[in-house]
Amino acid sequence: MNTLGKAQIASKSGSRWERFKTSKVYKYRQYYLLLLPAFIYVLIFCYGPMYGLQIAFKDYKMSLGILDSKWIGFRNFTDFFGSYYFTTLLKNTFILSFSMLLFSFPIPIIVALIINELGGRFKRVVQTVLYAPHFISTVVLVGMITILFSPSMGIVNTLLKSLGFDSIYFMGSPEWFRPLYVGSGIWQDMGWNAIVYIAALAGVDPSLHEAAELDGATRLQRIIHINLSCIMPTIIIMLIMQMGSIATVSYEKVFLMQNDLNLAVSEVISTYVYKRGLVNNNYSFATAVGLFNNLINVVMLLIANTVSKKFSETSLF
């Protein structure tokens, strides 16, 4: 290669380097380096396992591996859709999810509005008391429920007996499973879920309250028309995200509260996937059911986001 050709290549390399030095990637390189560990984590533990989704369309055998297992198409899905427990699983999952959404979603907002009105040491004490239950493990929480609502030594049944009522076997009664699940979930997470709204309330302009107070607005009116209005975009975003996991019920708590007496209302998609996948070693079928469950979540997320964008102009994307 002659001298002129080498000079042209060097010139092009130098010009590319100069353009790269003026780009945003180079300018914010330190921030990208900070994001790199999180990016690698998500890539390995979130996107990497998606390689195994193909076993939902195969008759997976551990001895053959994923690639060599027999391809059976949508047979696992059709078996699930045609089974007698399909409607029961969907009904139980959606009733439990919508019950949690209906009762547990507004309460953290109310808690945040109340905490925001408190002041001094009392506010910190209330926050600590409300946050603490979130750090109780699921196993311990279900153990507490079992003891408190025990028909023989539980404090609830002791109070019922003292009032002249018969004791109730709460954990074995299908009609009490959902109230116990939802109620314990509200108690455990209402303080923790309120943190997002408390942070949003911290950004409310104090001059709005001063102007409203000069105009004669009461505290309740200021809470409703200023605080609540200012955090409404945050509320909508959180609601959309909740809708995106509407078909996902954490199996740990349901499984621990589950027994043969309440199985008719406590068997949900996540517990069924656990039993068929890990207990019965039917990995292909369980993967197909789990994939179907995630597709429902994606559809619900898109619907909620579209509706929100149309009526409130607030959306995730």
Side-chain angles (χ1 to χ4, degrees), residues 6-301:
K6 293 181 179 179
Q8 288 176 343
I9 293 174
S11 177
K12 289 180 180 179
S13 301
S15 62
R16 282 197 294 266
W17 173 248
E18 292 298 328
R19 287 197 299 269
F20 177 72
K21 288 180 67 175
T22 58
S23 65
K24 290 185 177 180
V25 175
Y26 184 81
K27 181 180 179 182
Y28 300 109
R29 59 190 182 280
Q30 294 179 343
Y31 299 106
Y32 285 110
L33 285 174
L34 290 174
L35 285 173
L36 187 60
F39 176 78
I40 295 174
Y41 174 86
V42 172
L43 190 66
I44 294 175
F45 294 102
C46 294
Y47 286 94
M50 292 178 69
Y51 168 78
L53 287 178
Q54 58 185 300
I55 70 174
F57 307 95
K58 293 187 173 186
D59 183 15
Y60 175 68
K61 304 294 184 183
M62 293 186 67
S63 58
L64 297 176
I66 295 177
L67 294 178
D68 295 329
S69 296
K70 182 181 177 182
W71 184 272
I72 58 174
F74 291 94
R75 186 190 302 172
N76 289 320
F77 295 92
T78 55
D79 289 346
F80 177 58
F81 298 152
S83 60
Y84 71 92
Y85 42 75
F86 174 68
T87 54
T88 302
L89 290 174
L90 281 185
K91 183 183 73 173
N92 290 343
T93 301
F94 278 109
I95 289 177
L96 206 57
S97 294
F98 278 109
S99 298
M100 283 295 295
L101 182 66
L102 180 64
F103 294 103
S104 68
F105 183 77
I107 291 180
I109 302 172
I110 298 171
V111 169
L113 292 172
I114 294 173
I115 290 177
N116 188 64
E117 297 300 314
L118 302 176
R121 182 178 297 178
F122 182 66
K123 179 180 180 178
R124 293 192 293 272
V125 171
V126 171
Q127 285 179 297
T128 303
V129 170
L130 293 178
Y131 295 167
H134 174 77
F135 300 98
I136 299 175
S137 70
T138 305
V139 177
V140 174
L141 176 65
V142 175
M144 292 170 61
I145 296 172
T146 304
I147 294 173
L148 289 173
F149 292 91
S150 170
S152 58
M153 61 178 183
I155 187 173
V156 176
N157 275 303
T158 301
L159 291 174
L160 289 176
K161 290 177 183 178
S162 65
L163 295 174
F165 297 99
D166 295 329
S167 62
I168 301 172
Y169 185 20
F170 289 95
M171 297 297 290
S173 302
E175 62 272 16
W176 282 105
F177 174 80
R178 288 166 184 154
L180 287 176
Y181 182 90
V182 175
S184 60
I186 292 172
W187 172 77
Q188 185 178 26
D189 292 324
M190 64 179 179
W192 183 260
N193 292 337
I195 292 176
V196 176
Y197 305 111
I198 294 173
L201 286 168
V204 177
D205 190 353
S207 62
L208 296 175
H209 285 278
E210 294 173 1
E213 194 171 1
L214 289 174
D215 290 337
T218 63
R219 170 172 285 190
L220 181 60
Q221 289 174 329
R222 287 187 281 115
I223 291 174
I224 295 174
H225 296 289
I226 297 177
N227 288 350
L228 192 59
S229 298
C230 289
I231 67 171
M232 189 56 66
T234 305
I235 294 173
I236 293 173
I237 293 297
M238 296 300 294
L239 180 60
I240 294 173
M241 294 177 68
Q242 288 272 354
M243 291 298 294
S245 59
I246 197 68
T248 301
V249 178
S250 179
Y251 88 92
E252 296 98 339
K253 185 177 176 182
V254 177
F255 185 74
L256 290 170
M257 294 180 64
Q258 194 177 84
N259 54 57
D260 292 336
L261 298 175
N262 61 26
L263 192 64
V265 297
S266 64
E267 187 75 316
V268 294
I269 293 177
S270 58
T271 57
Y272 181 74
V273 169
Y274 168 75
K275 293 173 183 177
R276 288 297 299 266
L278 295 180
V279 178
N280 296 335
N281 299 323
N282 195 344
Y283 301 109
S284 296
F285 186 84
T287 303
V289 177
L291 182 58
F292 168 74
N293 187 43
N294 289 330
L295 288 176
I296 294 177
N297 287 333
V298 171
V299 171
M300 294 299 294
L301 175 65

